[in-house]
Amino acid sequence: MCGICYNDVNSNLPEKRSSANIMNDKNVQRSRVLYIIEAALEYFISILVSGSYLATLTTHLGISDGLTGVISSFISLGCLFQLLSVFLKRPRVKGTVIALSVLNQLLFLLLFLIPLAGGDKQIKIAVFMTAIFVAYLIYNSVHPLKVNWLMGLVEDKKRGVFTSQKEIVSLLSGMIFSFAAGSLIDYYKAEGKIETAFILCGVTIFVLTVLHTLTMLFSVEISVESKETAKTNPIREMLGTLKDKTVVKVTILFVIWHIASSSATPFYGTYLIKELGFSLQFVSILSIVYSLVRASVSTFWGRYADKNSFASMVRLCLGIAGIGFLVNVFTVPSNGAVFYTIYYALYAIAMGGINSALTNLVFDYVAPETRSNALAVSQAVSGVVGFLTTLVVSGLVTHIQESGNTLFGMSVYAQQVVSALAFVFTMAAAAYVTLVIIPVKGTKK
């Protein structure tokens, strides 16, 4: 039998209490608020070390576009390292999560200091590559444990609304933070003082790291202890997770969805700028609209999931995403501004539910002591499959473009074809939820 243990450094509460009493405790309620803040602060740091911000750093260091692409691909593959979380698993993970999170974020800070250092260019590039590699390895290794710890502070019937609240805060505050950070870097870059911008970004990450650490330090921990799992060898434990039929079924859903999204969305960026001819200003407006739409529907999806189920919610969201991809099958330069905006709005509505639903499905279907392992397996496997999907589809995209935007004698843009692929796999994912995932709920003990 599993016992729920409550650990709070700021109180003398008894070690064992009923689940209902624990969830209503003021320290746990405070910790849920801190979790929302923690997620936003972590999101701010991730903004500064990805996308155009990462490209600014690599460009200044003289790293080629090709190598920058490899770095970006590695980031997307980082989820593979979540499998390492099994070696860090223990009844109480708070201390481990905090220590490794601080190390991870200090390595991100180092990325902004490396361009300021003197010395050989190749050495600086090697140190930069090593730092970002280790940073993401640590982040992904500890991530499942952190999610399992902090989401364990939320009542099952309220996880949908809570997740939506967390996402809304991160999205809206992230919009403001990203705009401010981008404006700051653009200003100093225009003044020829890009290194000053790097210093300010480094200071910002340091402050965010301190605040992020404090949110976790003042959060309590509810750990699930099991005599059976306490003595389990990590390798044997992970193999046991892979043999769990429920975990496999949920992982397959992750995989199908990642195949769908990875077959199309990575190729939309160039489509907007080249074939559709969008200005960067219009692309920025689309990003703002996306965030606002996604934030506006998050609470609705959360309430829907709490009332019905996360399985029902993700099926509906997948259907909406599929319609969005279908719209892009017909998106061409003559209607691009209208059709792509419709697609992006539909995709925002769908993603307002899909991301949280996939994680929460693990909490719905998997036993507490297995959840962190199940999260690691499902995200690692689907991440690798998604990456391989993009590599395979990129060959098709190149073939169509080199053939003068034709396929089987028909005049068509490559992104229209990959949108059709995404539509097929997205609808397959929705059907999988109906035929496989939803029936599992009735068999869960």
Side-chain angles (χ1 to χ4, degrees):
M1 295 295 291
C2 296
I4 298 180
C5 297
Y6 180 81
N7 176 38
D8 181 8
V9 295
N10 300 312
S11 71
N12 295 315
L13 292 172
E15 277 293 298
K16 293 190 179 182
R17 304 173 55 181
S18 71
S19 179
N21 287 340
I22 288 177
M23 291 303 174
N24 290 326
D25 185 84
K26 290 183 179 180
N27 292 290
V28 175
Q29 293 175 355
R30 180 199 67 212
S31 298
R32 289 196 286 265
V33 175
L34 290 174
Y35 183 22
I36 292 175
I37 299 172
E38 180 274 335
L41 294 172
E42 186 176 75
Y43 181 49
F44 295 167
I45 295 175
S46 71
I47 288 173
L48 289 176
V49 293
S50 60
S52 59
Y53 301 96
L54 175 63
T56 300
L57 279 170
T58 57
T59 299
H60 187 77
L61 283 169
I63 296 176
S64 67
D65 289 350
L67 188 54
T68 299
V70 171
I71 295 173
S72 298
S73 297
F74 169 76
I75 292 173
S76 68
L77 269 178
C79 55
L80 182 62
F81 296 113
Q82 292 192 16
L83 293 174
L84 297 177
S85 64
V86 69
F87 295 99
L88 303 174
K89 189 177 177 182
R90 59 203 65 198
R92 306 271 172 105
V93 300
K94 179 177 175 178
T96 301
V97 170
I98 292 175
L100 292 180
S101 293
V102 170
L103 179 58
N104 149 244
Q105 290 162 1
L106 289 179
L107 285 170
F108 282 146
L109 187 158
L110 180 62
L111 299 181
F112 285 92
L113 300 182
I114 292 172
L116 308 178
D120 183 75
K121 171 185 171 182
Q122 296 303 318
I123 293 178
K124 290 199 292 185
I125 291 176
V127 173
F128 184 91
M129 296 277 292
T130 301
I132 197 168
F133 176 88
V134 176
Y136 275 104
L137 186 153
I138 294 172
Y139 170 80
N140 284 287
S141 297
V142 79
H143 185 69
L145 301 178
K146 189 190 74 173
V147 172
N148 194 42
W149 159 31
L150 295 174
M151 279 301 294
L153 301 175
V154 184
E155 295 177 69
D156 287 346
K157 292 296 183 181
K158 296 182 179 180
R159 278 191 281 110
V161 170
F162 177 82
T163 304
S164 69
Q165 292 171 341
K166 182 163 64 75
E167 183 171 83
I168 288 171
V169 171
S170 292
L171 281 171
L172 297 183
S173 60
M175 278 172 44
I176 298 171
F177 179 84
S178 181
F179 179 79
S183 298
L184 181 145
I185 293 176
D186 285 344
Y187 171 77
Y188 283 104
K189 188 175 182 180
E191 293 290 316
K193 300 177 180 178
I194 188 64
E195 292 187 349
T196 301
F198 291 160
I199 293 174
L200 292 175
C201 286
V203 171
T204 300
I205 290 179
F206 179 77
V207 173
L208 291 173
T209 298
V210 172
L211 295 175
H212 181 260
T213 302
L214 289 174
T215 61
M216 293 191 292
L217 278 173
F218 288 103
S219 295
V220 297
E221 180 179 19
I222 300 173
S223 59
V224 179
E225 297 186 75
S226 172
K227 294 181 180 179
E228 290 79 4
T229 59
K231 300 179 181 179
T232 303
N233 178 279
I235 299 295
R236 190 177 303 165
E237 184 178 338
M238 183 57 75
L239 291 175
T241 302
L242 293 171
K243 294 178 181 179
D244 188 317
K245 292 181 180 179
T246 302
V247 173
V248 172
K249 288 178 181 179
V250 173
T251 300
I252 290 174
L253 174 60
F254 274 69
V255 168
I256 300 173
W257 166 242
H258 274 71
I259 291 175
S261 60
S262 299
S263 64
T265 55
F267 306 100
Y268 286 160
T270 56
Y271 194 48
L272 305 185
I273 303 302
K274 295 181 179 179
E275 288 84 354
L276 299 184
F278 291 173
S279 66
L280 290 176
Q281 185 180 38
F282 185 67
V283 172
S284 299
I285 292 173
L286 283 174
S287 297
I288 293 173
V289 170
Y290 174 89
S291 295
L292 291 175
V293 171
R294 181 166 169 173
S296 68
V297 300
S298 288
T299 300
F300 167 78
W301 285 131
R303 289 174 178 166
Y304 181 92
D306 288 338
K307 182 180 179 180
N308 298 281
S309 70
F310 282 101
S312 296
M313 188 255 274
V314 76
R315 177 176 59 182
L316 185 54
C317 289
L318 287 168
I320 294 172
I323 294 173
F325 286 127
L326 184 60
V327 169
N328 260 357
V329 173
F330 303 98
T331 299
V332 293
S334 60
N335 61 30
V338 175
F339 275 40
Y340 192 84
T341 301
I342 293 173
Y343 150 75
Y344 215 33
L346 290 171
Y347 193 68
I349 293 172
M351 293 306 295
I354 290 175
N355 275 358
S356 66
L358 290 177
T359 298
N360 278 292
L361 279 176
V362 175
F363 279 77
D364 271 354
Y365 290 87
V366 179
E369 66 271 15
T370 312
R371 286 172 179 170
S372 61
N373 289 351
L375 282 170
V377 168
S378 57
Q379 294 182 13
V381 173
S382 59
V384 172
V385 172
F387 176 74
L388 295 176
T389 298
T390 300
L391 289 182
V392 172
V393 174
S394 66
L396 174 63
V397 170
T398 300
H399 172 74
I400 294 173
Q401 291 175 338
E402 290 180 348
S403 300
N405 291 323
T406 60
L407 182 66
F408 303 128
M410 297 183 293
S411 180
V412 64
Y413 290 107
Q415 284 78 0
Q416 291 179 274
V417 176
V418 298
S419 294
L421 289 175
F423 167 74
V424 171
F425 280 105
T426 301
M427 300 315 292
Y432 181 82
V433 172
T434 301
L435 300 174
V436 179
I437 298 298
I438 290 179
V440 172
K441 190 67 175 178
T443 64
K444 180 186 174 184
K445 296 182 180 180

